[in-house]
Amino acid sequence: MGALRERWRGRKHIRDWSLRASFALYTLVGFVTATAVCSLAVNLLDSLRVNEARDFWLSYREYEVPPGGSYESWVNEDGLHYRILDRQGSEVALVEADGVTTRIAAEHWGNESAEGGEGSTVIMVIPLRSGEQNVRYTLLWLGTISVFPICYGGGAVLCGALFYHKKLKQPIALLRAASHKIAASELDSTIRWDRRDEMGALCGSFEKMRAALAESNRAMWQQMEERKRLNAAFAHDLRTPLTVLRGHAGMLREELESGSARPEEMAQDVRVMQAHIQRLEAYVEAMSSLRRLDDIEPRPAPVQVAALAKALEDEAHILCGGKEVALHTAGGGLCLALDQELVTQACENLLANAARYARERVAISVMAADGRLAVTVEDDGPGFTPEGLRKAAEPFYRAEGYSPQGHLGLGLNICRVICQRCGGELSLSNGVGGGARVRATFLGAQDAP
């Protein structure tokens, strides 16, 4: 009962009624209006028709032949004539009918006369309808018959017009305008129709679709911009090894052509060229890995948080090479649906960075709550510079003055891409006592432990 009451309160305004209920209401309004108008029109036309007939029939005249009297008739060019005579043969009345506007009918009445004798004869002069009267009477009759379809048809039109104007016109216009804007890739405008009927639900669904398209469009543009930055960084970093290779190749060619090349110098040039070729191969492999990450789709599967934390701790001991590793876990008894391979890959990059810059200690925090997994890795190294906090997750970024051999500057960028693909994010900061702190979050549906 309470649910019904709340539902009625929520739909107490007609504008929030469903289309079916609203159409039934407007149909009732149209039917009642048509019935009222039809009744008034039929009564009016009937009154006119009755008055027309009454005026017509009240215009007839009667002439009674006196008892013992007689009547005689003749026809001439003026029409039919009756002469009524009394008992003595004297003319009592002369009755004329032209046959166009009136006619005469002789009628014998079986009732007794006023004097108590036999029934008397009455001469009746009956009016004839003119063409105009016939037309008027016919129109009144046809009008009376036509009132019903006209009124109820008008009621149906009124019902449809009210229903369309009140319930459909504005939301249809909104949806049409929104579809044109979406077709023109204008996805910033919102669709709002604050009704709780089917059209309101349709506009809400359309708004969700628009928002999803806008978000997808923004993600696509961000991905394109990211790839532009990645290609620009890749092209920039390729210049150094290519320049070195070009220089050593030129020097080696000159020495060979001049005959001044010595074996030890040639071997040195070849070793330098090989090192830079390996560097180029590492760049190409890194670019391929990033492109594969952009196209990969996460495949969630149940993962025990405690087991994942233990695996990360073991990995940290291997990567840190004797440095102290501290692990803190919260929500270890939970089981989350995650792509363990992607999560592990991201965390390994965080651990490798921490091991590279840490002096003596690396701390790992694994926390699971509300369907999310957060992995935080801290070290006691120099920490991020202000520029590093802004750019460390960009491709091929390396802190100035500290670039370990073989470090391409892609680790944190790969972590950020993986976090985004898994519905999370990557955040960079410095610890309270110094050192870098990197936090990676992953979205995963919570399963039963």
Side-chain angles (χ1 to χ4, degrees):
M1 191 67 181
L4 291 176
R5 189 180 297 110
E6 289 298 325
R7 185 176 181 183
W8 169 250
R9 287 176 182 172
R11 296 182 177 272
K12 61 182 178 181
H13 299 295
I14 294 177
R15 68 176 191 172
D16 291 332
W17 287 13
S18 66
L19 295 182
R20 181 181 299 177
S22 299
F23 186 77
L25 175 64
Y26 290 125
T27 300
L28 178 62
V29 170
F31 178 79
V32 171
T33 303
T35 301
V37 173
C38 184
S39 299
L40 293 174
V42 168
N43 287 334
L44 177 62
L45 292 174
D46 276 346
S47 298
L48 294 175
R49 195 157 54 88
V50 168
N51 290 335
E52 182 80 14
R54 183 186 60 190
D55 293 342
F56 174 75
W57 286 107
L58 289 181
S59 64
Y60 81 93
R61 302 187 303 277
E62 293 182 351
Y63 300 91
E64 184 177 358
V65 178
S70 62
Y71 65 88
E72 57 184 16
S73 65
W74 72 93
V75 180
N76 59 22
E77 59 183 8
D78 294 329
L80 179 63
H81 301 270
Y82 275 77
R83 179 182 288 115
I84 301 176
L85 305 174
D86 59 10
R87 184 177 297 176
Q88 288 78 25
S90 300
E91 182 177 321
V92 177
L94 179 63
V95 182
E96 299 177 340
D98 58 13
V100 176
T101 60
T102 57
R103 67 183 179 89
I104 294 177
E107 200 167 318
H108 182 271
W109 296 76
N111 297 329
E112 295 181 349
S113 64
E115 289 78 6
E118 297 179 355
S120 59
T121 301
V122 177
I123 306 300
M124 300 180 62
V125 180
I126 303 174
L128 296 176
R129 289 191 179 92
S130 64
E132 181 181 351
Q133 289 175 322
N134 283 331
V135 169
R136 187 163 57 246
Y137 188 83
T138 302
L139 288 177
L140 289 173
W141 179 75
L142 290 176
T144 303
I145 296 176
S146 303
V147 161
F148 293 94
I150 290 175
C151 288
Y152 285 100
V157 172
L158 174 65
C159 165
L162 283 174
F163 181 75
Y164 175 76
H165 182 74
K166 296 291 186 180
K167 303 294 289 186
L168 300 178
K169 182 179 179 181
Q170 192 171 349
I172 289 176
L174 286 174
L175 293 173
R176 183 184 295 115
S179 64
H180 290 326
K181 289 182 178 180
I182 290 175
S185 298
E186 299 176 9
L187 302 174
D188 294 332
S189 59
T190 59
I191 306 167
R192 293 186 179 179
W193 181 244
D194 56 345
R195 303 289 174 84
R196 300 175 64 182
D197 56 7
E198 291 86 343
M199 296 305 295
L202 179 60
C203 289
S205 300
F206 210 86
E207 169 62 17
K208 290 180 181 179
M209 180 191 71
R210 182 209 64 79
L213 287 175
E215 183 62 29
S216 176
N217 200 25
R218 280 193 293 270
M220 181 184 67
W221 281 107
Q222 288 175 358
Q223 186 176 5
M224 291 177 64
E225 289 297 322
E226 183 69 21
R227 289 198 174 185
K228 287 181 181 179
R229 289 194 298 268
L230 180 64
N231 290 335
F234 182 63
H236 178 270
D237 272 28
L238 283 181
R239 291 173 187 167
T240 299
L242 287 176
T243 301
V244 173
L245 286 173
R246 187 182 298 111
H248 280 277
M251 291 169 56
L252 185 60
R253 179 179 178 182
E254 290 178 359
E255 291 174 354
L256 290 174
E257 289 178 350
S258 63
S260 61
R262 290 181 295 179
E264 59 273 13
E265 292 179 351
M266 293 174 59
Q268 179 63 25
D269 288 337
V270 170
R271 283 194 294 271
V272 172
M273 294 173 68
Q274 285 179 337
H276 284 281
I277 289 173
Q278 291 175 354
R279 186 177 178 185
L280 287 175
E281 290 176 345
Y283 276 124
V284 172
E285 180 61 28
M287 286 291 293
S288 299
S289 299
L290 284 175
R291 293 187 182 277
R292 286 196 298 270
L293 285 176
D294 285 337
D295 298 330
I296 197 170
E297 285 295 332
R299 297 180 179 179
V303 176
Q304 290 290 339
V305 175
L308 177 63
K310 184 63 172 63
L312 293 179
E313 183 183 20
D314 294 340
E315 186 75 19
H317 281 294
I318 296 173
L319 293 173
C320 291
K323 297 176 183 177
E324 180 186 353
V325 175
L327 174 67
H328 171 71
T329 305
L334 295 178
C335 180
L336 299 180
L338 297 166
D339 189 323
Q340 186 169 358
E341 182 178 350
L342 289 179
V343 172
T344 302
Q345 183 178 355
C347 293
E348 284 177 352
N349 278 293
L350 298 184
L351 293 172
N353 272 354
R356 184 180 300 117
Y357 292 101
R359 295 188 181 95
E360 298 178 355
R361 185 175 183 273
V362 173
I364 307 169
S365 173
V366 180
M367 303 182 66
D370 301 327
R372 283 184 174 271
L373 176 71
V375 178
T376 304
V377 178
E378 298 183 59
D379 62 63
D380 58 354
F384 292 108
T385 63
E387 182 187 20
L389 289 174
R390 296 192 308 271
K391 299 182 178 180
E394 294 183 1
F396 301 112
Y397 174 81
R398 290 184 293 274
E400 192 172 335
Y402 192 88
S403 299
Q405 184 68 25
H407 176 47
L408 300 180
L410 288 174
L412 291 180
N413 182 258
I414 290 174
C415 290
R416 185 178 68 177
V417 172
I418 291 176
C419 290
Q420 291 174 348
R421 299 298 292 172
C422 294
E425 60 181 0
L426 184 75
S427 60
L428 310 179
S429 62
N430 286 320
V432 178
R437 176 191 292 145
V438 183
R439 184 173 186 265
T441 60
F442 309 91
L443 178 63
Q446 183 170 329
D447 294 335

